[in-house]
Amino acid sequence: MRIAIIGAGALGSLFGGVLTRGGHDVWLYNPSNKKHIHAIQKNGLRIQTGDGDFEVKPNATTRLAEIPLPIEVMGIFVKAYDTERAISDALPLISTETWTLSLQNGIGPEVVLAQHVLNGRLLRGVTAQGATLIEAGIVRWGGRGPTQLGLFGTKSGQLDDSLENLCATLSSADWKTHFTPEIEKDLWVKLLVNAAINPLTALFNVPNGQLIADKELNAILHGIIREALPVTRTHGVQLSLEEAISHVEGVCRGTAQNLSSMLQDVRRGKRTEIEYINGVVAREAKALDAQTPLNSLLTRLVMRSPY
Ligand code: PAF
């Protein structure tokens, strides 16, 4: 299978690296991190795991025109705020057979993608995999977790043979993937995870596991979830508070060593995805007349952090 990764940062490179190891023809594309791409071209991509490292040699480029066609899977891994630019550039890679697959954080990228991807093959997914870009050419697989994929748009909820095959192919390459008939609901469950983990880890400069170990941070984590839950309920999430906390804490444990994507952004002085995560919770809560002081405060604090 030929796979193009648009926006090969931490998670995109990990996804591409794992699939390269699984025998697929992977193209990593990232025009804004030339150092990372050049390091991969020169030395390959090193993936650090708790059980030892492995090295793979995916194709890597800063020029879209170098990626050969046809592309079977085009993974969109850019930050949520970069989706419009990325999909506009990458449109020439999409044929009638191409799956466009987004595992991005936040709520919103799928709406932008749906305006461009018109072949009925837009997949939105959520993943609990943890990836940290250690330095150019080196990614740490900081935690494993399942990925859920569903069709976004008019055919949402449907599973056909080709989608079932795709999930099986990704799973057999060690990227455990399941079809979900309820992708919108799953996106909101993932939003709970990101709303609770990302701003706290970014502001307190701690790995995900610390949100369990540190009692004060853990209490704030619970508060964020408590506030966000009524918003997620309007999108079909039926978890009780206890279930929601247990789910989020499960991800903290499963990715205990991982530095959240937001912490990685803040450390690099980059714009974060806070408006697409806690910002969405605060905005939607207003429409419900619900109060979300923690989510609003965290949004403002992260937006104030210099980048
Ligand atoms: O954004 C992230 O870092 C990830 O979505 C997750 C699952 C919270 C792991 O760090």
Side-chain angles (χ1 to χ4, degrees):
M1 191 161 73
R2 184 175 295 133
I3 300 155
I5 306 292
I6 309 300
L11 187 65
S13 299
L14 175 66
F15 182 72
V18 170
L19 292 171
T20 303
R21 189 175 63 164
H24 298 285
D25 179 19
V26 173
W27 285 78
L28 300 182
Y29 169 68
N30 190 341
S32 53
N33 193 344
K34 294 194 167 62
K35 228 174 129 191
H36 181 51
I37 293 296
H38 292 156
I40 297 169
Q41 287 168 338
K42 199 163 162 236
N43 306 317
L45 173 69
R46 171 169 288 272
I47 300 195
Q48 302 177 339
T49 80
D51 316 324
D53 301 359
F54 66 91
E55 220 167 81
V56 281
K57 278 234 162 225
N59 305 289
T61 182
T62 55
R63 297 184 50 236
L64 202 70
E66 281 181 1
I67 303 177
L69 300 178
I71 297 295
E72 284 157 274
V73 176
M74 185 170 78
I76 305 289
F77 284 89
V78 296
K79 296 291 173 187
Y81 52 78
D82 252 348
T83 308
E84 176 70 46
R85 188 194 48 75
I87 189 64
S88 304
D89 290 352
L91 274 182
L93 298 186
I94 302 181
S95 74
T96 48
E97 300 306 309
T98 308
W99 289 109
T100 301
L101 182 163
S102 157
L103 296 183
Q104 294 160 282
N105 280 339
I107 298 289
E110 58 286 346
V111 178
V112 176
L113 293 173
Q115 285 161 5
H116 295 272
V117 180
L118 302 174
N119 66 355
R121 294 190 143 221
L122 174 57
L123 294 173
R124 186 62 165 112
V126 293
T127 187
Q129 301 274 22
T132 307
L133 189 58
I134 300 294
E135 59 179 70
I138 305 180
V139 170
R140 185 170 66 216
W141 198 347
R144 291 178 186 236
T147 296
Q148 274 93 31
L149 273 189
L151 265 170
F152 189 81
T154 48
K155 292 194 202 147
S156 169
Q158 294 178 29
L159 173 67
D160 64 12
D161 285 353
S162 56
L163 180 48
E164 201 168 3
N165 286 341
L166 178 66
C167 292
T169 305
L170 297 177
S171 294
S172 64
D174 203 17
W175 193 275
K176 290 281 161 283
T177 306
H178 314 282
F179 166 76
T180 171
E182 295 180 299
I183 186 59
E184 198 203 347
K185 192 186 88 184
D186 293 342
L187 279 175
W188 282 90
V189 173
K190 177 71 192 290
L191 192 80
L192 269 180
V193 169
N194 287 127
I197 296 179
N198 292 26
L200 285 184
T201 50
L203 290 168
F204 291 90
N205 194 19
V206 291
N208 298 351
Q210 198 59 21
L211 302 183
I212 306 246
D214 182 316
K215 293 277 166 288
E216 280 176 12
L217 291 182
N218 189 251
I220 305 174
L221 181 102
H222 290 196
I224 299 169
I225 299 169
R226 190 175 300 112
E227 274 185 16
L229 210 51
V231 174
T232 66
R233 291 222 169 92
T234 66
H235 295 278
V237 176
Q238 280 159 5
L239 299 177
S240 67
L241 178 61
E242 291 68 31
E243 287 165 337
I245 289 174
S246 148
H247 176 68
V248 173
E249 291 190 344
V251 178
C252 289
R253 282 192 198 91
T255 60
Q257 305 305 322
N258 199 56
L259 304 184
S260 77
S261 53
M262 197 170 284
L263 173 54
Q264 293 180 58
D265 289 340
V266 166
R267 282 192 180 178
R268 288 203 180 86
K270 275 179 59 181
R271 180 177 169 186
T272 73
E273 297 180 305
I274 193 79
E275 297 134 280
Y276 293 82
I277 301 175
N278 304 73
V280 172
V281 172
R283 271 198 306 279
E284 291 226 356
K286 251 192 202 132
L288 297 176
D289 244 349
Q291 303 299 312
T292 55
L294 265 178
N295 281 274
S296 303
L297 175 69
L298 291 168
T299 304
R300 291 175 71 164
L301 285 174
V302 172
M303 286 183 80
R304 275 169 56 104
S305 62
Y307 58 76

